[in-house]
Amino acid sequence: MSFSQLAWERSAASVGARAIAEVPFYRGRYAVGLGLSPVPSAELTDRLWSLCPIAHPYSPAREPTLWTGDPADLSAVLRISGTGNTPVLEVRQSLVPWTRLGPRDYAPVLSASAVALDVSALDTRARELAAGRRTVLIAPPDEVADVVRRTARHGPVIHRLTTPSGDIPAVLHDPRVGYFAALAPTCGHWHIPWRRFHVEGGADGLLVTALRRRRPTLVRILVPARGSIGLCPRHRTPVIKA
């Protein structure tokens, strides 16, 4: 499927209309005249219960937090990054049961800032995956050295950033939105996985709408990344221009 600006905008509008019709958080904002005005990502931390459709509410007693993210989003930015099927280690604040990302092996690595008695004791899966083979490491720049020490891994590093910066391999991430862009090595532009996200430029950051996720529903979430939206001259798909 080739990219169409009109279809992309229509997809985002459809998600917004569905949010107002089905999701308590957006219904409430619409009722007081806020409509689909930007919502700062930081304000969503304790609002998970209200971001799911009325017909499929969030139940903390029966399911884990939905803030763990969607592995399909991570797979999408990795495809942009051009790392093939290399196994992946990802630094996280919490562990997840995922062992695969599509064709790739996967293991989470707890951040040094995670709440745990001994973070390094939870690295067994990551060390096994890294033993004797190259792995892709996705991590904040200041945690790369610690993870390498703990797992003895080798291979490419993709820095997890909150705003476009520099020309090193990197992905953009927000704690509530998840992964929503990556630097493509083939053209040097910050590509948006447009089938999964719609992104607009805003006065205070970028406005991100998740096109595939309904639990939680995320519409025009303001993330503190700076840039404008344009088309890649080579690929003719949406990019963030830093």
Side-chain angles (χ1 to χ4, degrees), residues 17-231:
R18 190 174 66 230
I20 291 173
E22 300 178 355
V23 181
F25 181 77
Y26 297 100
R27 287 169 64 91
R29 289 173 63 83
Y30 186 80
V32 298
L34 293 175
L36 292 176
S37 57
V39 181
S41 170
E43 294 184 9
L44 299 179
T45 300
D46 298 320
R47 301 303 303 267
L48 188 56
W49 64 271
S50 68
L51 290 166
C52 293
I54 296 171
H56 302 283
Y58 173 62
S59 176
R62 295 196 301 268
E63 59 185 323
T65 176
L66 303 181
W67 291 134
T68 54
D70 188 335
D73 294 342
L74 178 53
S75 291
V77 294
L78 285 171
R79 284 193 294 273
I80 293 171
S81 297
T83 52
N85 292 334
T86 308
V88 175
L89 305 184
E90 179 200 15
V91 173
R92 303 181 53 91
Q93 288 294 324
S94 60
L95 294 177
V96 288
W98 314 334
T99 59
R100 305 281 297 177
L101 289 176
R104 305 166 181 261
D105 287 319
Y106 168 89
V109 180
L110 271 187
S111 166
S113 62
V115 179
L117 290 176
D118 184 359
V119 169
S120 63
L122 302 174
D123 292 338
T124 301
R125 162 76 177 162
R127 285 195 295 266
E128 291 175 350
L129 192 59
R133 56 178 163 174
R134 287 166 55 84
T135 57
V136 174
L137 172 61
I138 301 173
D142 60 354
E143 296 207 43
V144 171
D146 179 61
V147 173
V148 170
R149 177 186 59 80
R150 284 160 47 191
T151 62
R153 51 90 48 201
H154 70 281
V157 174
I158 297 179
H159 289 128
R160 185 168 68 217
L161 306 177
T162 57
T163 196
S165 177
D167 57 1
I168 59 174
V171 290
L172 295 186
H173 180 268
D174 176 83
R176 296 295 163 249
V177 170
Y179 294 97
F180 64 96
L183 188 64
T186 55
C187 63
H189 290 289
W190 290 89
H191 275 261
I192 300 162
W194 55 270
R195 293 178 178 85
R196 305 194 63 82
F197 290 98
H198 179 275
V199 183
E200 308 168 54
D204 300 313
L206 297 177
L207 306 177
V208 183
T209 295
L211 300 177
R212 299 286 184 89
R213 294 170 63 185
R214 300 184 68 180
R215 303 181 73 251
T217 297
L218 303 173
V219 179
R220 305 192 80 223
I221 305 304
L222 177 65
V223 301
R226 297 290 180 176
S228 59
I229 309 304
L231 289 182

